[in-house]
């Protein structure tokens, strides 16, 4: 039995009898981050980082949750666990597992380049590395985020001059706060969909300063939105909710926007290539930095990426079946439901 | 090429016609005459020929990107567009270039004569001088696949805005056979009434699909009905003792159809016919497939002529005795057409498309149901009083297509979509029962909503049996109603049949797999409709 195994419930450490990001209810779950496919309902006990905890509590309600600061070791049945920044969203961690001299790292979701708001990624040396490969193809290469934010600012400014509302869709958790943190709030007012404002409130409460935002409400009039930026979850754009904006340009911020076909399919006016997942170069860089000789690929293009690692990098690599979803262009169902009730705080 | 690439991006980012025209006009105003001419040429389907084959391009791109060819191919499959996949995979440029569109087109053309090693060095060097969109455009030009969402008509409108010359005049100047090498922007576009071109066609009038029943069109006596043929729309011109044949894309296809050559001596000068180029043998139309195979060939050989000879199934007369009669009512043009064809012996090369007589709309419903028995796709309804308009105009011409054939089939393989559907499973293989085995018989990749594609994608991920490259075999659990326009025998397919335009009509969630159709059902359809679609 390897130190970490892929079972039908999740990534399992038999020596400690714990799971990492399990997708079926288990006794003890170590959670890399708060996205719905990594932190699910129904476990008896949860462990995550201090900064990931507020959002997970917000999402999952009354759960038994312990927290740990980054870098601190927790021993369970003689197995040492520690959490290290993954740079994916606030509080997101790679989980290092050490037992009898063998070291594994389960990285959850990660990106290597700093986004200005998440704790920056730290490479963790290990023997075996579990990597995501959401964008594990050489056609996915991100521009520096400063250039993307310039594009977004320019788009917003042009819309504002034309009296239009700029509606930008993004994940409620992670991408939305990264956008708020990175755009130029001097251009005009920023409105947010309820689902996003709920998450913002949690993030602000834990001490992150986001620019001022106004929750969309029934009391506002359509002229209030002229020239404003609205940040909304992806599902909102296809709904009646959009009707309140008289004249709007819709933009999508996602790594999938790198492909022209995907951009066109979403029928958005603009696609901004901005992802909280590592691009091709970052994946390779991260794997090199761990020094791991064994790599397990999950998410997305796992089998192709594993073959690349095997054949071109000489690593012992394979792909594992999981129920992680990578960067979906559809909104997580859980976040959706939160967003439908605009009066909740 | 930066300006042209920027134009490409702007055009790509809008679906609004007026915005597209404005961007194009702005670009015309700012660029050089050489680039203007090439832009006009490219947007009127006069792209340079392909000078490098795509297999080599893939190898060179993979090499320059530092990835193995198989990985490039996997990436290409996901991106769905070779030019884009190459542009995305390549490393950052090392230089930039100020050269314009015409420079790069000439560069591409000059590759044709070079040895492979030189081609490779030049192409790779070009790539390293370009940004993403410039590369994309360059690749599309080099592979001969350049397309952008601007019709020739919109291009002409933009050119009219820029030059101040009327659209009609420009459209005529741009017709006929020219290339940027044989003319200049000045001579082609800015010079009034260039060479008399006897081959000049009239713009085609295109029908709209009738979605409701024809009862919605008012009293039946105001209308004529014909069969809707499944060939290629064509305009046949006889002037000054010469024959010209244009296809709907305003492409001169005279050489592809030597059958029409004798008409020069048979039809009077000053005759222009609108009709269907139709493969036709022993008194019946052949399948569109026969015509398609024929068009694909470079040379029209004797055996092709014997196997799939064409006629012109004529349905309108646009020019008669040298006079443009398009403004006259259709009923009158139709009479003149019939008279012309009965007075002229065309050796059967031109035949009038028969009218389908009716007095009540009800009669047409049953004609439509039996369309396939007449080797047709449905009916055409034309208002007797209508002039011959240009382009797609609503109101006077309607195509009323026959309902598709359908069969309930089981999904057994799934493949990720290309391009705009790269992250969804959208390409499926379907099977029917043969006893207890499922025999694959068709693929289909359209017809579901985005939501349904999302749902089936999630299911495919969880129910994969085996993977073969990008293809996954899945548990046979879902039944889909497959619609198609025709069916024919095929030795290449295990099922023994090939379908025309298969697509998913409905996801039959209500239907157990065991109740899907059988191979025998499929062969019964074949017996009933073979060659008729
Ligand atoms: Zn995540
Ligand atoms: Zn994930």
């Amino acid at each position: 039995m390897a130190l970490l195994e892929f079972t039908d419930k999740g990534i399992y450490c038999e020596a400690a009898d714990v799971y990492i990001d399990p997708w079926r209810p288990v006794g003890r779950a170590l959670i890399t981050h708060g996205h719905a496919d990594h932190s699910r309902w129904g476990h008896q006990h949860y462990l995550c980082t201090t900064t990931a905890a507020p959002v997970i509590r917000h999402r999952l309600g009354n759960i038994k949750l312990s927290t740990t600061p980054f870098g601190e070791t927790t021993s369970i049945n003689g197995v040492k666990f520690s959490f290290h920044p993954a740079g994916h969203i606030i509080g997101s961690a790679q989980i290092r597992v050490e037992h009898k001299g063998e070291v594994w790292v389960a990285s959850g979701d990660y990106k290597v380049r700093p986004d200005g708001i998440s704790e920056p990624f730290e490479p963790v040396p290990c023997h075996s590395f579990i990597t995501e490969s959401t964008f594990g193809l050489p056609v996915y290469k991100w521009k520096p985020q400063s250039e993307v934010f310039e594009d977004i600012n320019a788009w917003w400014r042009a819309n504002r001059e034309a009296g239009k509302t700029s509606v930008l869709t993004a994940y409620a958790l992670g991408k939305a706060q990264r956008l708020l943190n990175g755009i130029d709030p001097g251009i005009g007012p920023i409105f947010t969909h309820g689902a996003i404002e709920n998450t913002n409130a949690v993030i602000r409460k834990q001490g992150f300063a986001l620019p001022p935002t106004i929750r969309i409400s029934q009391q506002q009039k359509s002229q209030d939105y002229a020239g404003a930026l609205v940040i909304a979850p992806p599902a909102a754009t296809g709904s009646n909710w959009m009707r309140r904006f008289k004249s709007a340009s819709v933009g999508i911020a996602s790594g999938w926007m790198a492909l022209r076909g995907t951009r066109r399919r979403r029928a958005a006016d603009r696609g901004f290539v901005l992802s909280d997942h590592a691009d091709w170069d970052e994946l390779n860089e991260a794997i090199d930095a761990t020094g791991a000789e064994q790599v397990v690929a999950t998410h997305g293009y796992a089998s192709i990426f594993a073959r690349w690692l095997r054949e071109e990098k000489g690593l012992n690599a394979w792909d594992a079946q999981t129920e992680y979803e990578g960067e979906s262009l559809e909104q997580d169902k859980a976040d959706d439901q939160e967003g439908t009730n605009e009066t909740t705080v | 090429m930066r300006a042209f690439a920027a134009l490409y991006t702007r055009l790509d980012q809008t679906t609004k016609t007026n915005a597209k025209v404005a961007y194009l006009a702005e670009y015309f105003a700012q660029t050089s005459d050489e680039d203007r001419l090439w832009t006009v040429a490219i947007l009127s389907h006069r792209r340079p020929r392909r000078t490098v084959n795509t297999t080599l391009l893939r190898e060179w791109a993979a090499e320059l990107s530092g990835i193995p060819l198989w990985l490039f191919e996997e990436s290409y499959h996901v991106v769905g567009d070779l030019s884009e996949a190459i542009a995305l995979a390549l490393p950052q440029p090392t230089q930039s270039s100020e050269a314009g569109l015409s420079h790069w087109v000439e560069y591409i053309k000059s590759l044709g004569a070079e040895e492979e090693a030189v081609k490779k060095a030049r192409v790779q060097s070009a790539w390293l001088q370009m940004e993403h969109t410039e590369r994309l455009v360059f690749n599309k030009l080099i592979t001969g696949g350049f397309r952008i969402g601007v019709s020739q008509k919109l291009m002409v409108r933009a050119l009219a805005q820029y030059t101040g010359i009327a659209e009609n005049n420009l459209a005529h100047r741009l017709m006929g056979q020219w290339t940027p090498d044989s003319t200049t922007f000045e001579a082609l576009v800015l010079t009034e009434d260039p060479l008399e071109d006897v081959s000049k066609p009239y713009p085609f009038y295109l029908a709209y699909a009738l979605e409701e029943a024809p009862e919605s069109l008012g009293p039946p006596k105001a209308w004529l009905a014909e069969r809707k043929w499944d060939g290629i729309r064509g305009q046949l011109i006889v002037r000054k003792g010469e024959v010209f044949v244009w296809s709907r894309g305003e492409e001169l296809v005279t050489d592809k159809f030597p059958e029409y050559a004798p008409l020069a001596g048979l039809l009077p000068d000053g005759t222009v016919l609108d009709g269907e180029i139709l493969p036709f043998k022993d008194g019946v139309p052949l399948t569109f497939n026969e015509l398609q195979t024929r068009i694909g060939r470079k040379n029209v050989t004797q055996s092709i002529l014997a196997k799939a000879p064409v006629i012109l199934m004529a349905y309108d007369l646009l020019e008669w005795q040298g006079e443009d009669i398009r403004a006259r009512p259709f009923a009158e043009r139709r009479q003149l057409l019939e008279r012309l064809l009965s007075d002229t012996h065309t050796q059967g090369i031109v035949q009038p498309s028969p009218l389908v007589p009716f007095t009540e709309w009800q009669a047409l419903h049953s004609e439509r149901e039996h369309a396939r028995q007449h080797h047709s796709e449905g009916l055409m309804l034309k208002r007797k009083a209508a002039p011959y308009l240009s382009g797609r105009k609503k109101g006077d011409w309607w195509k009323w297509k026959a309902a598709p054939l359908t069969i309930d089939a089981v999904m057994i393989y799934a493949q990720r979509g290309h391009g705009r559907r790269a992250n969804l499973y959208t390409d499926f293989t379907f099977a029917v029962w043969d006893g207890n085995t499922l025999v694959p018989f068709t693929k289909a990749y359209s017809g579901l909503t985005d939501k349904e594609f999302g749902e089936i994608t999630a299911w495919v991920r969880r129910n994969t049996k085996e993977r073969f490259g990008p293809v996954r075999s899945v548990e046979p659990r879902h039944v889909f109603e497959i619609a198609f326009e025709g069916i024919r025998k095929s030795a290449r397919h295990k099922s023994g049949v090939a379908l025309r335009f298969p697509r998913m009509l409905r996801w039959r969630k209500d239907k157990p797999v065991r109740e899907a159709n059988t191979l025998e059902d499929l062969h019964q359809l074949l017996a009933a409709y073979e060659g008729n679609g």
Side-chain angles (χ1 to χ4, degrees), chain A residues 33 37-38 109 277 299 324-326:
Chain A
H33 68 289
D37 54 328
H38 290 260
D109 294 342
H277 294 268
H299 294 73
Y324 306 136
E325 283 160 9

Side-chain angles (χ1 to χ4, degrees), chain B residues 47-291:
Chain B
R47 299 185 289 258
R49 262 174 228 284
R50 179 193 290 184
T51 49
V52 179
N53 81 45
T54 54
T55 311
L56 290 174
L57 280 181
R58 295 171 204 213
E59 287 170 12
W60 303 340
E63 185 199 282
L64 195 60
S65 310
I67 55 172
L69 189 58
W70 69 261
L71 181 55
F72 178 77
E73 297 292 352
E74 292 277 12
S75 305
Y76 166 36
H77 179 80
V78 167
V79 176
D81 179 304
L82 181 62
S83 299
E84 188 185 354
I86 293 175
L88 288 167
L90 290 172
Q92 290 292 310
T94 53
Q95 311 163 46
S96 67
S97 158
E98 298 301 320
L101 171 68
S102 50
H103 165 86
W104 288 112
V105 174
E106 294 303 332
Y107 189 95
I108 288 168
K109 286 168 66 189
S110 73
L111 295 174
E114 300 293 348
E115 308 254 322
E116 194 179 307
V118 178
K119 282 186 187 178
K120 176 178 168 181
R122 294 229 185 128
V123 169
Q124 290 189 335
S125 135
W127 281 336
L128 289 174
Q129 298 174 52
M130 295 176 179
E131 296 293 340
H132 173 76
T133 316
E134 294 178 285
R135 284 172 176 172
L136 177 69
V137 169
F138 176 81
N139 293 343
K140 287 193 174 288
L141 291 171
I142 209 169
T143 55
F146 187 89
R147 257 167 218 90
I148 193 161
V150 176
S151 62
Q152 180 160 352
K153 201 173 166 59
L154 289 190
M155 180 270 286
V156 169
R157 192 177 300 167
L159 202 55
Q161 279 184 12
Y162 159 63
T163 58
I165 301 168
E167 275 181 57
N168 276 350
N169 296 348
L170 285 173
H172 273 272
R173 289 178 201 180
L174 297 185
M175 278 198 185
Q177 289 163 307
W178 59 270
T179 70
D181 297 322
S182 67
T183 186
T184 62
F185 186 77
E186 171 87 34
L188 179 78
V189 176
L190 302 180
T191 311
E192 220 172 300
D193 197 23
L195 295 173
E196 267 294 297
D197 191 346
V198 291
S199 77
K200 236 169 236 177
Y202 296 103
F204 284 86
Y205 181 19
L206 308 173
Y208 260 92
L210 186 65
E211 309 289 355
E212 296 162 55
E215 279 78 359
S216 61
L217 300 177
K221 61 176 188 297
W223 296 83
L224 291 173
E226 303 161 12
R227 305 213 180 277
K228 183 180 180 330
W229 302 110
D230 192 13
I232 295 173
R233 183 81 181 275
Q235 193 175 122
L236 187 137
I237 297 168
V238 178
R239 289 184 195 130
K240 299 202 170 162
E242 300 232 36
V243 175
F244 304 95
V245 184
W246 294 84
S247 73
R248 207 191 86 185
E250 284 173 356
E251 201 185 346
L252 199 50
V253 293
T254 320
D255 298 340
K256 296 249 178 208
F257 302 104
E259 289 97 328
Y260 299 129
L263 293 173
L266 299 172
L267 285 169
D269 270 349
T271 303
V272 177
L273 298 167
D274 182 15
E276 199 86 359
I277 299 170
L278 197 63
F280 197 84
K281 204 173 169 183
D282 304 326
V284 284
L286 306 175
T287 64
F288 183 76
N289 192 54
E290 300 281 356
L291 187 57

